[in-house]
Amino acid sequence: HLNFSINYRKVVSEDVYRSDSKRIKQVLINLVSNSFKFTEQGSIRVNVGVITESHGELLQFTIKDTGIGISKNDISALFKMFAMVSKARLQFNQCGSGIGLSISKKIVESLGGTIEVASVEGQWTEFTFTVRDFTERPFHADAFDQLIEEGKHKEALDELSE
């Protein structure tokens, strides 16, 4: 049995907060999909809210599951290109490419935010990412999408870094 929930901590007004919703969805889909892959029972919770820092508001997303967790050794390499959690590959026979989290990290950073992970192996994993109001520097989603479709992942990551 697996419970899935989405909680909103504070309403975000469209006219106050602007960002690239397509990219935010891409990161959310990747993180939630990973949670479903590695959580057989228990729960997956998505929390959405706004946090205030000295230099403005950030939209914050937290995805927490009660899955297999991630070892400290694997966490250190988690956001590197082609990195995969060794236990997950063996236990769940997952054969992903290992680029999802590295792309998610680049996307989040391109949206002016950060992404972090906390985990207790065998118990839970929690990913938290933030994004800023992004009206100053437009994101070129079409160029990024084209590179991904062509299988040019390195070039797509470079596009996010510009």
Side-chain angles (χ1 to χ4, degrees):
H1 187 260
L2 185 62
N3 293 317
F4 179 74
S5 63
I6 300 174
N7 304 299
Y8 299 90
R9 288 180 275 175
K10 183 178 174 183
V11 177
V12 179
S13 173
E14 248 182 71
D15 59 348
V16 173
Y17 200 91
R18 292 183 182 92
S19 192
D20 188 331
S21 63
K22 186 174 182 179
R23 296 296 152 233
I24 293 171
K25 287 178 197 174
Q26 185 175 0
V27 173
L28 280 169
I29 288 169
N30 181 55
L31 296 175
V32 171
S33 294
N34 284 346
S35 286
F36 274 104
K37 278 189 234 178
F38 303 117
T39 305
E40 292 181 322
Q41 61 183 3
S43 64
I44 298 170
R45 291 190 327 248
V46 178
N47 292 308
V48 183
V50 174
I51 58 172
T52 304
E53 291 188 343
S54 59
H55 48 277
E57 289 187 340
L58 293 96
L59 193 56
Q60 181 181 57
F61 299 86
T62 303
I63 299 87
K64 185 170 185 175
D65 65 56
T66 58
I68 64 171
I70 304 168
S71 74
K72 288 182 181 181
N73 288 341
D74 283 332
I75 284 178
S76 63
L78 204 56
F79 294 105
K80 294 180 181 169
M81 189 71 109
F82 306 114
M84 297 186 71
V85 175
S86 53
K87 180 179 178 181
R89 191 181 301 159
L90 295 172
Q91 184 176 350
F92 288 85
N93 197 24
Q94 295 295 329
C95 55
S97 62
I99 63 170
L101 290 175
S102 61
I103 289 176
S104 292
K105 184 176 192 292
K106 289 286 190 176
I107 290 171
V108 167
E109 289 172 349
S110 77
L111 296 175
T114 60
I115 185 168
E116 299 172 352
V117 62
S119 186
V120 174
E121 189 173 11
Q123 295 183 26
W124 56 269
T125 300
E126 179 178 270
F127 283 89
T128 301
F129 73 95
T130 58
V131 295
R132 295 195 177 286
D133 187 334
F134 202 62
T135 55
E136 295 295 318
R137 187 179 142 249
F139 178 76
H140 302 290
D142 293 337
F144 177 83
D145 289 341
Q146 183 64 37
L147 290 167
I148 290 293
E149 286 174 21
E150 293 172 4
K152 298 177 180 175
H153 299 114
K154 169 101 172 69
E155 292 87 347
L157 290 174
D158 290 343
E159 176 71 24
L160 290 173
S161 299
E162 292 180 358

